[in-house]
Amino acid sequence: WPTSTTVYDSIGNPHFLYYQFSRVPVQTGAPAAATSEWAWSVSEDINGTKVPLANSSTVGNAPLYFDNTGTLLDTTSQSVSF
């Protein structure tokens, strides 16, 4: 499930970010109420090349977890730096 957005830096230059979400089997260590787990990644378009910035495996980040009603479960904050 891909999506994208444009963000702007402090001097007004646009940066094109691409997000990819993939449903994966719920792993050991997931919250007890988790019935689905989604891995994610973010990349930036630099001169036509998608450069990886962060993903759910990056130290300090985590997948997104949902319960059986589709409610996002409280997880650690996520970080993407560029």
Side-chain angles (χ1 to χ4, degrees):
W1 175 331
T3 190
S4 62
T5 190
T6 303
V7 296
Y8 297 87
D9 63 22
S10 62
I11 58 174
N13 294 319
H15 296 270
F16 304 102
L17 300 182
Y18 297 92
Y19 305 86
Q20 177 70 42
F21 299 91
S22 303
R23 189 171 182 177
V24 298
V26 176
Q27 304 292 315
T28 302
T35 58
S36 71
E37 179 175 330
W38 289 76
W40 58 269
S41 64
V42 180
S43 58
E44 180 181 7
D45 184 316
I46 298 178
N47 299 322
T49 301
K50 288 183 182 176
V51 177
L53 297 177
N55 61 51
S56 53
S57 298
T58 303
V59 173
N61 290 339
L64 302 174
Y65 299 104
F66 296 87
D67 68 13
N68 63 351
T69 67
T71 301
L72 178 64
L73 299 174
D74 186 29
T75 60
T76 59
S77 61
Q78 312 293 315
S79 177
V80 176
S81 299
F82 59 99

